[in-house]
């Protein structure tokens, strides 16, 4: 049996448009016979390298105002609840480390969905440990074990390496999708195109 | 007979993604029974106000590299020729003034299409007067009359006012689409949604 075609899905837990893709990607990929590799990373260091010390949606107010309205329209279109978390953007370090701690055991997608649903569906602060613990529990994951693993040097190093790799792939925002032949697609608006590219 | 619903189409002659919308909008609007108001403006002053003295695609190289590749893919999808103009971005002042000079006579869309086709389809420099003259001739417009009108104080003032209005509407990039009830859509990716919004 030939291996299923694979698409790398790069996302940051603080990213609003990543919420849309996190909630949509599994069904789309399944329908197209594509496997998804979930690759959480941190946009912060990539933004910092181009001189931004905050989200562009905060740095550029007109863009930020538009994004929230656009996100509202997209969530309605995709039938997703939306409640703005405060502060925005959330510090996504803890959630990203936890997600990477679940890579080998395979629960990264489940945790990611639960975490995004709490953050953008209910407006909860994923910077707070009780909220990520709640996400772990909702996803049926041993919370104490996951938290401990997420604080290991191995997982910390893994996140740094993933973020470096994202940068070297030319990723400058999230979500991003990268095919095995190096084709980069940026934004939830390109999710369908990325899957189609890989499926063909 | 009730008035046809109307959508305002804001574009900058130097904007790559505006090329896609310029070439797509008429057919989409016609199919939906929507009238388009073509509103050329200048992004430069809006970028300058947020501290950018150049296109974000030049200021942020990863974003720029991605944009050209993405544009290539989109042009293939929409069956549009693509050749990169140099320099990029072009100074769009002359073309914008000419386009506004044609507003009352109704040839703004025709000139705009011819000008974008030369710039992004053939890689020609629309900063050079012979090229805009060629666009005018291709569109069947009296070139000398149009050029003279474009240099009038009235048209210069019109372009300044349009750019100010764009800014006050919250426009921060191009293309942008604004409905009569004040709904803003940004990017060629939202053209279909904008038309659907207005048609309903």
């Amino acid at each position: 049996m030939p291996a299923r075609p694979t698409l790398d899905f790069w996302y940051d837990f603080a990213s609003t448009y990543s919420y849309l893709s996190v909630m949509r990607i599994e069904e789309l990929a399944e329908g197209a016979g594509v496997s998804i590799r979930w690759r959480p990373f941190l946009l912060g260091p990539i933004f910092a390298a181009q001189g931004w010390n905050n989200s562009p949606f905060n740095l550029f107010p007109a863009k930020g105002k538009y994004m929230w309205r656009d996100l509202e329209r997209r969530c309605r279109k995709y039938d997703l609840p939306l409640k703005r978390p405060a502060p925005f953007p959330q510090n996504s370090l803890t959630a990203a480390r936890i997600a990477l701690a679940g890579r080998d055991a395979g629960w990264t997608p489940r945790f990611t969905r639960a975490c995004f649903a709490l953050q953008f569906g209910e407006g909860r602060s994923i910077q707070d440990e009780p909220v990520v613990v709640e996400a772990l529990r909702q996803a049926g994951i041993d919370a104490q074990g996951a938290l401990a693993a997420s604080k290991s040097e191995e997982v910390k190093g893994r996140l740094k390496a993933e973020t470096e790799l994202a940068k070297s792939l030319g990723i400058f925002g999230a979500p991003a999708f990268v095919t095995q032949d190096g084709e980069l697609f940026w934004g939830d608006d390109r999710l369908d195109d990325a899957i189609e590219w890989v499926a063909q």
Side-chain angles (χ1 to χ4, degrees), chain A residues 77-123:
Chain A
K77 176 175 177 146
Y78 296 133
D79 203 17
L80 290 170
L82 176 63
K83 191 168 170 191
R84 225 167 134 154
F88 176 82
Q90 298 270 301
N91 184 322
S92 52
L93 179 65
T94 300
R97 283 182 178 161
I98 293 176
L100 277 178
R103 194 169 64 179
D104 299 338
W107 50 254
T108 303
R110 259 153 56 215
F111 166 71
T112 299
R113 275 189 295 269
C115 202
F116 270 91
L118 286 173
Q119 185 188 187
F120 291 109
E122 300 183 22

Tab-separated table of all heavy atoms in Angstrom, chain A residues 77-123:
chain	number	residue	atom	x	y	z
A	77	LYS	N	-19.508	31.525	8.775
A	77	LYS	CA	-19.519	30.689	7.573
A	77	LYS	C	-19.215	29.226	7.908
A	77	LYS	O	-19.804	28.311	7.342
A	77	LYS	CB	-18.484	31.235	6.598
A	77	LYS	CG	-18.289	30.441	5.334
A	77	LYS	CD	-17.301	31.162	4.392
A	77	LYS	CE	-17.057	30.323	3.149
A	77	LYS	NZ	-16.843	31.152	1.950
A	78	TYR	N	-18.270	29.014	8.809
A	78	TYR	CA	-17.854	27.649	9.147
A	78	TYR	C	-18.575	27.102	10.375
A	78	TYR	O	-18.198	26.045	10.904
A	78	TYR	CB	-16.334	27.594	9.367
A	78	TYR	CG	-15.547	27.916	8.120
A	78	TYR	CD1	-14.476	28.803	8.161
A	78	TYR	CD2	-15.865	27.336	6.895
A	78	TYR	CE1	-13.745	29.112	7.012
A	78	TYR	CE2	-15.151	27.635	5.753
A	78	TYR	CZ	-14.096	28.522	5.812
A	78	TYR	OH	-13.392	28.813	4.680
A	79	ASP	N	-19.548	27.881	10.879
A	79	ASP	CA	-20.342	27.437	12.022
A	79	ASP	C	-19.459	27.155	13.244
A	79	ASP	O	-19.602	26.112	13.891
A	79	ASP	CB	-21.151	26.192	11.623
A	79	ASP	CG	-22.384	26.021	12.508
A	79	ASP	OD1	-22.772	27.008	13.170
A	79	ASP	OD2	-22.925	24.910	12.566
A	80	LEU	N	-18.570	28.073	13.529
A	80	LEU	CA	-17.685	27.956	14.694
A	80	LEU	C	-18.010	29.068	15.683
A	80	LEU	O	-18.230	30.216	15.282
A	80	LEU	CB	-16.224	28.118	14.271
A	80	LEU	CG	-15.600	26.995	13.446
A	80	LEU	CD1	-14.240	27.433	12.906
A	80	LEU	CD2	-15.453	25.731	14.296
A	81	PRO	N	-18.044	28.754	16.985
A	81	PRO	CA	-18.253	29.824	17.967
A	81	PRO	C	-17.026	30.729	18.017
A	81	PRO	O	-15.915	30.297	17.709
A	81	PRO	CB	-18.406	29.058	19.284
A	81	PRO	CG	-17.688	27.764	19.074
A	81	PRO	CD	-17.806	27.440	17.605
A	82	LEU	N	-17.242	31.982	18.383
A	82	LEU	CA	-16.109	32.919	18.492
A	82	LEU	C	-16.289	33.812	19.701
A	82	LEU	O	-17.314	34.489	19.841
A	82	LEU	CB	-16.010	33.783	17.227
A	82	LEU	CG	-14.924	34.873	17.266
A	82	LEU	CD1	-13.532	34.260	17.386
A	82	LEU	CD2	-14.993	35.773	16.028
A	83	LYS	N	-15.301	33.797	20.563
A	83	LYS	CA	-15.254	34.759	21.670
A	83	LYS	C	-13.810	35.181	21.844
A	83	LYS	O	-12.921	34.333	22.003
A	83	LYS	CB	-15.817	34.133	22.948
A	83	LYS	CG	-16.042	35.145	24.034
A	83	LYS	CD	-16.862	34.584	25.183
A	83	LYS	CE	-16.835	35.569	26.349
A	83	LYS	NZ	-17.393	34.983	27.567
A	84	ARG	N	-13.586	36.470	21.808
A	84	ARG	CA	-12.250	37.030	21.829
A	84	ARG	C	-11.543	36.802	23.157
A	84	ARG	O	-12.077	37.199	24.195
A	84	ARG	CB	-12.425	38.530	21.628
A	84	ARG	CG	-11.492	39.140	20.670
A	84	ARG	CD	-12.037	40.543	20.365
A	84	ARG	NE	-10.923	41.464	20.443
A	84	ARG	CZ	-10.879	42.625	19.788
A	84	ARG	NH1	-11.887	43.013	19.058
A	84	ARG	NH2	-9.832	43.393	19.887
A	85	PRO	N	-10.375	36.177	23.155
A	85	PRO	CA	-9.641	36.004	24.417
A	85	PRO	C	-8.945	37.310	24.818
A	85	PRO	O	-8.620	38.134	23.966
A	85	PRO	CB	-8.593	34.942	24.057
A	85	PRO	CG	-8.327	35.150	22.595
A	85	PRO	CD	-9.633	35.633	22.000
A	86	ALA	N	-8.744	37.497	26.091
A	86	ALA	CA	-7.954	38.638	26.574
A	86	ALA	C	-6.893	38.094	27.529
A	86	ALA	O	-7.219	37.244	28.352
A	86	ALA	CB	-8.845	39.650	27.291
A	87	PRO	N	-5.651	38.572	27.455
A	87	PRO	CA	-5.195	39.529	26.443
A	87	PRO	C	-5.060	38.864	25.085
A	87	PRO	O	-5.067	37.633	24.990
A	87	PRO	CB	-3.807	39.934	26.971
A	87	PRO	CG	-3.324	38.719	27.705
A	87	PRO	CD	-4.550	38.118	28.318
A	88	PHE	N	-4.941	39.696	24.052
A	88	PHE	CA	-4.633	39.188	22.730
A	88	PHE	C	-3.385	39.877	22.219
A	88	PHE	O	-3.319	41.082	22.289
A	88	PHE	CB	-5.779	39.421	21.742
A	88	PHE	CG	-5.389	38.973	20.343
A	88	PHE	CD1	-5.487	37.638	19.985
A	88	PHE	CD2	-4.866	39.882	19.420
A	88	PHE	CE1	-5.089	37.214	18.724
A	88	PHE	CE2	-4.465	39.447	18.152
A	88	PHE	CZ	-4.571	38.122	17.818
A	89	PRO	N	-2.415	39.163	21.637
A	89	PRO	CA	-2.381	37.706	21.566
A	89	PRO	C	-2.001	37.078	22.892
A	89	PRO	O	-1.342	37.688	23.722
A	89	PRO	CB	-1.296	37.446	20.520
A	89	PRO	CG	-0.336	38.595	20.682
A	89	PRO	CD	-1.207	39.775	21.029
A	90	GLN	N	-2.450	35.851	23.086
A	90	GLN	CA	-2.034	35.069	24.246
A	90	GLN	C	-0.579	34.625	24.082
A	90	GLN	O	-0.106	34.456	22.961
A	90	GLN	CB	-2.898	33.807	24.324
A	90	GLN	CG	-4.377	34.072	24.504
A	90	GLN	CD	-4.764	34.137	25.950
A	90	GLN	OE1	-4.568	33.176	26.688
A	90	GLN	NE2	-5.288	35.279	26.380
A	91	ASN	N	0.090	34.453	25.202
A	91	ASN	CA	1.409	33.824	25.161
A	91	ASN	C	1.206	32.332	24.883
A	91	ASN	O	0.556	31.631	25.664
A	91	ASN	CB	2.124	34.029	26.498
A	91	ASN	CG	3.539	33.485	26.461
A	91	ASN	OD1	3.803	32.443	25.854
A	91	ASN	ND2	4.459	34.189	27.098
A	92	SER	N	1.757	31.871	23.784
A	92	SER	CA	1.436	30.512	23.337
A	92	SER	C	2.514	29.479	23.673
A	92	SER	O	2.433	28.332	23.240
A	92	SER	CB	1.182	30.532	21.826
A	92	SER	OG	2.246	31.156	21.137
A	93	LEU	N	3.491	29.897	24.471
A	93	LEU	CA	4.626	29.009	24.760
A	93	LEU	C	4.205	27.705	25.444
A	93	LEU	O	4.574	26.608	25.007
A	93	LEU	CB	5.656	29.758	25.623
A	93	LEU	CG	6.899	28.969	26.032
A	93	LEU	CD1	7.735	28.618	24.807
A	93	LEU	CD2	7.749	29.765	27.025
A	94	THR	N	3.431	27.828	26.523
A	94	THR	CA	3.047	26.625	27.274
A	94	THR	C	2.253	25.657	26.405
A	94	THR	O	2.547	24.453	26.357
A	94	THR	CB	2.205	27.021	28.508
A	94	THR	OG1	3.000	27.882	29.335
A	94	THR	CG2	1.785	25.808	29.313
A	95	ALA	N	1.279	26.181	25.685
A	95	ALA	CA	0.435	25.312	24.846
A	95	ALA	C	1.265	24.650	23.754
A	95	ALA	O	1.077	23.457	23.462
A	95	ALA	CB	-0.703	26.129	24.240
A	96	ALA	N	2.196	25.380	23.166
A	96	ALA	CA	3.014	24.815	22.085
A	96	ALA	C	3.893	23.691	22.622
A	96	ALA	O	4.048	22.641	21.976
A	96	ALA	CB	3.864	25.910	21.441
A	97	ARG	N	4.473	23.899	23.808
A	97	ARG	CA	5.308	22.839	24.394
A	97	ARG	C	4.481	21.599	24.718
A	97	ARG	O	4.914	20.471	24.474
A	97	ARG	CB	5.996	23.355	25.656
A	97	ARG	CG	7.185	24.252	25.370
A	97	ARG	CD	7.844	24.677	26.670
A	97	ARG	NE	9.012	25.510	26.426
A	97	ARG	CZ	9.560	26.317	27.341
A	97	ARG	NH1	9.027	26.408	28.557
A	97	ARG	NH2	10.632	27.031	27.044
A	98	ILE	N	3.297	21.818	25.259
A	98	ILE	CA	2.442	20.664	25.571
A	98	ILE	C	2.099	19.911	24.288
A	98	ILE	O	2.198	18.679	24.219
A	98	ILE	CB	1.163	21.109	26.306
A	98	ILE	CG1	1.526	21.641	27.704
A	98	ILE	CG2	0.166	19.958	26.414
A	98	ILE	CD1	0.350	22.202	28.482
A	99	ALA	N	1.730	20.668	23.263
A	99	ALA	CA	1.351	20.013	22.007
A	99	ALA	C	2.505	19.170	21.472
A	99	ALA	O	2.303	18.051	20.987
A	99	ALA	CB	0.925	21.066	20.981
A	100	LEU	N	3.725	19.690	21.585
A	100	LEU	CA	4.876	18.938	21.080
A	100	LEU	C	5.197	17.738	21.961
A	100	LEU	O	5.751	16.741	21.483
A	100	LEU	CB	6.099	19.849	20.961
A	100	LEU	CG	6.155	20.665	19.667
A	100	LEU	CD1	7.374	21.569	19.661
A	100	LEU	CD2	6.163	19.754	18.437
A	101	ALA	N	4.821	17.831	23.232
A	101	ALA	CA	5.039	16.686	24.128
A	101	ALA	C	4.172	15.499	23.723
A	101	ALA	O	4.483	14.358	24.043
A	101	ALA	CB	4.741	17.088	25.585
A	102	GLY	N	3.091	15.773	22.999
A	102	GLY	CA	2.188	14.694	22.592
A	102	GLY	C	2.468	14.133	21.213
A	102	GLY	O	1.707	13.301	20.722
A	103	ARG	N	3.569	14.556	20.625
A	103	ARG	CA	3.826	14.172	19.238
A	103	ARG	C	3.959	12.660	19.069
A	103	ARG	O	3.301	12.059	18.220
A	103	ARG	CB	5.078	14.880	18.720
A	103	ARG	CG	5.225	14.815	17.226
A	103	ARG	CD	6.309	15.744	16.725
A	103	ARG	NE	7.636	15.361	17.210
A	103	ARG	CZ	8.771	16.011	16.898
A	103	ARG	NH1	8.710	17.089	16.142
A	103	ARG	NH2	9.932	15.612	17.354
A	104	ASP	N	4.802	12.061	19.902
A	104	ASP	CA	5.037	10.625	19.722
A	104	ASP	C	3.809	9.798	20.104
A	104	ASP	O	3.497	8.794	19.456
A	104	ASP	CB	6.263	10.183	20.533
A	104	ASP	CG	7.519	10.924	20.064
A	104	ASP	OD1	7.512	11.407	18.899
A	104	ASP	OD2	8.477	11.048	20.856
A	105	ALA	N	3.100	10.239	21.156
A	105	ALA	CA	1.912	9.493	21.579
A	105	ALA	C	0.710	9.760	20.660
A	105	ALA	O	-0.291	9.043	20.734
A	105	ALA	CB	1.561	9.857	23.022
A	106	GLY	N	0.802	10.799	19.838
A	106	GLY	CA	-0.236	11.007	18.832
A	106	GLY	C	-1.422	11.843	19.273
A	106	GLY	O	-2.416	11.931	18.546
A	107	TRP	N	-1.321	12.487	20.443
A	107	TRP	CA	-2.495	13.278	20.862
A	107	TRP	C	-2.385	14.773	20.566
A	107	TRP	O	-3.238	15.567	20.987
A	107	TRP	CB	-2.847	13.035	22.332
A	107	TRP	CG	-1.751	13.138	23.367
A	107	TRP	CD1	-1.154	12.095	24.018
A	107	TRP	CD2	-1.154	14.344	23.910
A	107	TRP	NE1	-0.231	12.564	24.925
A	107	TRP	CE2	-0.207	13.930	24.873
A	107	TRP	CE3	-1.323	15.698	23.666
A	107	TRP	CZ2	0.589	14.846	25.608
A	107	TRP	CZ3	-0.545	16.618	24.384
A	107	TRP	CH2	0.396	16.184	25.334
A	108	THR	N	-1.373	15.173	19.821
A	108	THR	CA	-1.221	16.599	19.487
A	108	THR	C	-2.486	17.200	18.856
A	108	THR	O	-2.943	18.268	19.306
A	108	THR	CB	-0.002	16.796	18.564
A	108	THR	OG1	1.155	16.276	19.210
A	108	THR	CG2	0.213	18.262	18.225
A	109	PRO	N	-3.081	16.567	17.850
A	109	PRO	CA	-4.289	17.169	17.252
A	109	PRO	C	-5.435	17.311	18.249
A	109	PRO	O	-6.085	18.354	18.309
A	109	PRO	CB	-4.660	16.176	16.133
A	109	PRO	CG	-3.392	15.434	15.833
A	109	PRO	CD	-2.635	15.360	17.125
A	110	ARG	N	-5.668	16.278	19.062
A	110	ARG	CA	-6.777	16.333	20.023
A	110	ARG	C	-6.595	17.470	21.022
A	110	ARG	O	-7.528	18.215	21.322
A	110	ARG	CB	-6.843	15.017	20.795
A	110	ARG	CG	-7.910	14.073	20.310
A	110	ARG	CD	-7.534	12.631	20.617
A	110	ARG	NE	-7.264	12.362	22.022
A	110	ARG	CZ	-6.349	11.502	22.479
A	110	ARG	NH1	-5.598	10.811	21.610
A	110	ARG	NH2	-6.166	11.314	23.769
A	111	PHE	N	-5.381	17.571	21.557
A	111	PHE	CA	-5.117	18.648	22.506
A	111	PHE	C	-5.255	20.007	21.821
A	111	PHE	O	-5.820	20.953	22.379
A	111	PHE	CB	-3.709	18.512	23.112
A	111	PHE	CG	-3.261	19.762	23.820
A	111	PHE	CD1	-3.846	20.142	25.025
A	111	PHE	CD2	-2.287	20.591	23.264
A	111	PHE	CE1	-3.455	21.317	25.668
A	111	PHE	CE2	-1.899	21.765	23.902
A	111	PHE	CZ	-2.484	22.124	25.104
A	112	THR	N	-4.721	20.105	20.618
A	112	THR	CA	-4.752	21.386	19.896
A	112	THR	C	-6.184	21.854	19.684
A	112	THR	O	-6.520	23.018	19.935
A	112	THR	CB	-4.029	21.240	18.543
A	112	THR	OG1	-2.668	20.884	18.793
A	112	THR	CG2	-4.080	22.537	17.755
A	113	ARG	N	-7.041	20.940	19.239
A	113	ARG	CA	-8.436	21.323	19.012
A	113	ARG	C	-9.111	21.776	20.302
A	113	ARG	O	-9.801	22.792	20.331
A	113	ARG	CB	-9.214	20.154	18.396
A	113	ARG	CG	-9.100	20.079	16.876
A	113	ARG	CD	-10.070	19.051	16.303
A	113	ARG	NE	-9.727	17.705	16.744
A	113	ARG	CZ	-8.907	16.883	16.082
A	113	ARG	NH1	-8.369	17.259	14.941
A	113	ARG	NH2	-8.628	15.693	16.553
A	114	ALA	N	-8.875	21.034	21.384
A	114	ALA	CA	-9.505	21.401	22.666
A	114	ALA	C	-9.014	22.772	23.126
A	114	ALA	O	-9.785	23.599	23.627
A	114	ALA	CB	-9.201	20.335	23.721
A	115	CYS	N	-7.735	23.015	22.932
A	115	CYS	CA	-7.127	24.262	23.392
A	115	CYS	C	-7.629	25.459	22.572
A	115	CYS	O	-7.969	26.507	23.125
A	115	CYS	CB	-5.613	24.105	23.276
A	115	CYS	SG	-4.698	25.207	24.325
A	116	PHE	N	-7.683	25.307	21.257
A	116	PHE	CA	-8.204	26.390	20.414
A	116	PHE	C	-9.686	26.636	20.686
A	116	PHE	O	-10.154	27.775	20.668
A	116	PHE	CB	-7.978	26.074	18.927
A	116	PHE	CG	-6.661	26.582	18.395
A	116	PHE	CD1	-5.529	25.786	18.428
A	116	PHE	CD2	-6.552	27.861	17.854
A	116	PHE	CE1	-4.302	26.252	17.937
A	116	PHE	CE2	-5.343	28.329	17.355
A	116	PHE	CZ	-4.215	27.521	17.399
A	117	ALA	N	-10.435	25.568	20.939
A	117	ALA	CA	-11.866	25.731	21.207
A	117	ALA	C	-12.073	26.528	22.497
A	117	ALA	O	-12.940	27.403	22.565
A	117	ALA	CB	-12.547	24.371	21.305
A	118	LEU	N	-11.256	26.255	23.516
A	118	LEU	CA	-11.373	27.018	24.760
A	118	LEU	C	-10.972	28.480	24.527
A	118	LEU	O	-11.635	29.397	25.000
A	118	LEU	CB	-10.488	26.408	25.857
A	118	LEU	CG	-10.991	25.092	26.471
A	118	LEU	CD1	-9.958	24.505	27.418
A	118	LEU	CD2	-12.310	25.331	27.230
A	119	GLN	N	-9.894	28.678	23.793
A	119	GLN	CA	-9.380	30.040	23.613
A	119	GLN	C	-10.292	30.901	22.749
A	119	GLN	O	-10.680	32.005	23.144
A	119	GLN	CB	-7.978	29.999	22.984
A	119	GLN	CG	-7.340	31.377	22.870
A	119	GLN	CD	-6.039	31.395	22.079
A	119	GLN	OE1	-5.380	32.409	22.023
A	119	GLN	NE2	-5.653	30.278	21.477
A	120	PHE	N	-10.611	30.439	21.562
A	120	PHE	CA	-11.354	31.302	20.630
A	120	PHE	C	-12.860	31.008	20.610
A	120	PHE	O	-13.642	31.846	20.185
A	120	PHE	CB	-10.771	31.191	19.219
A	120	PHE	CG	-9.403	31.794	19.098
A	120	PHE	CD1	-8.279	30.996	18.923
A	120	PHE	CD2	-9.232	33.181	19.188
A	120	PHE	CE1	-7.008	31.558	18.815
A	120	PHE	CE2	-7.970	33.751	19.084
A	120	PHE	CZ	-6.855	32.940	18.901
A	121	GLY	N	-13.248	29.823	21.064
A	121	GLY	CA	-14.673	29.527	21.125
A	121	GLY	C	-15.287	30.047	22.414
A	121	GLY	O	-16.432	30.468	22.446
A	122	GLU	N	-14.485	30.014	23.519
A	122	GLU	CA	-15.019	30.441	24.823
A	122	GLU	C	-14.287	31.648	25.411
A	122	GLU	O	-14.618	32.108	26.501
A	122	GLU	CB	-14.949	29.250	25.808
A	122	GLU	CG	-15.753	28.044	25.345
A	122	GLU	CD	-15.738	26.898	26.368
A	122	GLU	OE1	-15.488	27.164	27.568
A	122	GLU	OE2	-15.959	25.739	25.970
A	123	GLY	N	-13.245	32.116	24.714
A	123	GLY	CA	-12.544	33.314	25.197
A	123	GLY	C	-11.673	33.080	26.414
A	123	GLY	O	-11.342	34.031	27.129
